[in-house]
Amino acid sequence: MSEAVHASLPHQVACSLCGRQLAGCRYVVTEDAAACTDCFESRLANECAKCGARIGCEMTDLGHGGRHWHEACFRCSACGCSLASQPFLAKEGDVYCTSCHDERFAARCCRCYQVFKAGSRKLEWRSQQYHEQCFLCSECGCGIGCDSFIPHGDNACCVPCYEGRFAQRCRECRQVIRKGGVTYKGQAFHSDCLVCGHCAKPLAGLKFTSQQERPYCADCFGQLFARKCCRCCQPITGFTGAKFVSFEDRDWHSDCFTCSRCSDSLVGRGFLTEGDALLCTGCASLPK
C-alpha cells in the first residue's frame, strides 16, 4: 500500500477528515493528506473483496487488478487454499491457484483430455491441440510429435505409413513419387522414368505419342512408325500441326502435294496422274 503509518508529527497537523490534532498520535498519510487511524480504518481503508470488511492499517493488504483482500481472505475460489505466498491466476473476477485454474480453464489435449501444464509443448493441427506425446499417426499409432507427417483425409499419417499405404508409385520403377511426377494414360511416373521406348530420352515436357502402349518421342515415332511423304520421304507425324494428303495408298505433306512439272500446289485442285507423277490440269494438257 502507498499509505504510511507514523507515530508522531514534527509540527502541529490535524486529521484531514475529523480535524483531530495528530501530535503524539499514530496516523496514516495517504495522497499527501494525513488521517488519524480511526478515520482511516472507518472511511479510507480498502474493503476486502472476500469478506467486505475494511483492511485496517495494522493488517496486510493484498491487492490485484484493483481489488484488495485481507491476507487470510486471499484464497483460491475453488479449493480454498491460501494464495498469499504462492502463484495465482485471476479469471472472471475470481482468483485461483494454478492447479485449480488449469483444471477449470486451461486448454485440453484432444487425445488424452488432460490440461496443458505450464512449460509443456502444445501442438496444433486443424484447430485441435495435442500434447507432443499425444500427436499420433492414425495408421500405426506411433508418436509423430514434431516430426514430419502427411495429411490423409482428416487424419495425420507418419511418412512411412503414408508412403507404404497411400502414396502414388511410379508405373515404371514402382517407387514412391515424392516430387517431379507426371501422368500418362492415367498412370503416374517419375519424370525421369517416363522415357521414349526406343531412344530412352525423358519425355516430360516434350511432345510424344504411343505405339502398342509404349511412349515414343516425336523423332523415334516418325522414324519407326509414321508414314513417309512420297515427295520428301520425311515422316508424316502431325506433331507440328501440318496437314497431309492421301491418294491411292500414298501420302504427302500438304506442302509437298504439288505438280511434278510446275510445282504448283495441288491441294484443293483437280489433277491427273502420269505413272507415279502428279500433274495439274494445265501441265497435263501440254505435249510431252
Side-chain angles (χ1 to χ4, degrees):
M1 293 180 61
S2 60
E3 297 83 0
V5 179
H6 295 261
S8 62
L9 289 172
H11 305 289
Q12 292 296 319
V13 177
C15 174
S16 60
L17 296 176
C18 69
R20 175 187 175 187
Q21 294 298 315
L22 299 177
C25 300
R26 293 173 61 82
Y27 68 96
V28 178
V29 176
T30 173
E31 296 180 357
D32 298 326
C36 65
T37 55
D38 290 339
C39 288
F40 175 81
E41 293 190 350
S42 63
R43 301 170 64 180
L44 299 179
N46 294 314
E47 290 185 0
C48 176
K50 178 69 173 177
C51 69
R54 296 277 183 179
I55 304 173
C57 56
E58 299 295 336
M59 302 176 182
T60 301
D61 185 332
L62 300 179
H64 174 74
R67 304 171 71 201
H68 299 265
W69 291 263
H70 294 103
E71 181 176 6
C73 293
F74 193 52
R75 296 179 174 277
C76 173
S77 298
C79 69
C81 70
S82 174
L83 301 177
S85 59
Q86 66 170 303
F88 66 93
L89 293 165
K91 182 72 172 180
E92 299 174 352
D94 293 320
V95 287
Y96 298 88
C97 64
T98 54
S99 296
C100 289
H101 180 275
D102 287 348
E103 185 65 27
R104 292 192 172 201
F105 307 111
R108 293 179 178 271
C109 173
C110 293
R111 177 78 62 183
C112 70
Y113 303 107
Q114 299 301 308
V115 299
F116 294 97
K117 299 293 185 182
S120 64
R121 180 172 289 182
K122 179 168 57 178
L123 304 180
E124 185 169 342
W125 185 63
R126 292 192 173 177
S127 301
Q128 294 187 318
Q129 298 173 331
Y130 302 84
H131 291 109
E132 183 176 1
Q133 66 273 17
C134 292
F135 191 49
L136 310 177
C137 172
S138 62
E139 295 299 314
C140 67
C142 293
I144 296 175
C146 294
D147 294 336
S148 298
F149 67 94
I150 302 174
H152 180 66
D154 294 330
N155 300 316
C157 292
C158 66
V159 174
C161 282
Y162 184 86
E163 291 186 348
R165 304 183 187 191
F166 308 114
Q168 281 191 323
R169 293 183 176 272
C170 176
R171 176 68 175 78
E172 185 67 24
C173 70
R174 305 308 303 166
Q175 297 301 308
V176 171
I177 299 175
R178 295 186 176 91
K179 62 179 181 179
V182 294
T183 301
Y184 173 63
K185 287 192 173 182
Q187 298 290 334
F189 295 81
H190 289 111
S191 296
D192 295 338
C193 290
L194 183 62
V195 299
C196 174
H198 182 67
C199 70
K201 176 170 62 179
L203 299 176
L206 301 178
K207 291 183 178 180
F208 65 93
T209 188
S210 63
Q211 182 72 17
Q212 297 177 350
E213 300 301 320
R214 297 189 66 186
Y216 292 89
C217 66
D219 292 339
C220 290
F221 180 83
Q223 294 299 323
L224 296 174
F225 307 109
R227 295 183 178 186
K228 304 298 189 294
C229 176
C230 292
R231 176 60 59 87
C232 69
C233 298
Q234 295 303 308
I236 301 174
T237 61
F239 283 106
T240 60
K243 297 180 179 180
F244 66 96
V245 178
S246 295
F247 176 70
E248 292 184 350
D249 296 327
R250 293 188 293 167
D251 301 284
W252 294 262
H253 293 108
S254 294
D255 293 341
C256 294
F257 192 57
T258 59
C259 176
S260 298
R261 291 184 183 176
C262 68
S263 298
D264 285 349
S265 175
L266 298 178
V267 177
R269 298 173 55 188
F271 62 90
L272 298 173
T273 60
E274 188 177 276
D276 290 335
L278 301 177
L279 302 173
C280 64
T281 55
C283 291
S285 63
L286 296 176
K288 296 181 182 179

